[in-house]
Amino acid sequence: MPPRLRGATLIAVQAEDHYLRIHTDRGSDLILMRLSDALAELEGLEGARTHRSWWVARGAVRDVSRGDGRAMLTLDGGVTAPVSRRYAPALRQAGWY
């Protein structure tokens, strides 16, 4: 975590090219890291991958909406995260929506 976000509550991690955008309750910031490495570090936290470029903390989900056949998660702070067809069945089975 960047120094200004240390101690913040993690909401989501979003891949952007070779960077990750870390969404927290204190704002967001970019870090240089691969998503696969971040997922390894997030092991043990309650959350899941919702899309090939997103990981979401389960406690941050406030609403689920559907549009054009796709689900979108609205998270704390107004961040929206997509749910891809690949990850949707596992999220539904886990009771996310």
Side-chain angles (χ1 to χ4, degrees):
M1 281 273 205
R4 72 179 192 86
L5 297 179
R6 286 199 182 118
T9 301
L10 183 62
I11 294 172
V13 176
Q14 174 187 9
E16 293 184 12
D17 291 324
H18 298 290
Y19 292 87
L20 296 179
R21 180 163 303 278
I22 308 298
H23 298 277
T24 73
D25 62 344
R26 292 189 194 161
S28 65
D29 207 348
L30 285 174
I31 61 170
L32 181 59
M33 182 182 230
R34 295 183 311 185
L35 183 58
S36 59
D37 293 338
L39 292 173
E41 289 192 29
L42 294 169
E43 195 73 31
L45 293 180
E46 191 172 359
R49 206 155 172 190
T50 64
H51 186 272
R52 66 185 173 100
S53 61
W54 280 82
W55 177 95
V56 172
R58 184 170 185 159
V61 177
R62 294 295 159 243
D63 190 33
V64 179
S65 60
R66 288 190 157 281
D68 299 327
R70 292 189 170 187
M72 291 292 287
L73 303 176
T74 301
L75 311 176
D76 289 340
V79 175
T80 57
V83 176
S84 70
R85 283 180 265 168
R86 177 179 180 187
Y87 296 101
L91 294 173
R92 271 194 301 270
Q93 186 176 18
W96 282 50
Y97 64 97

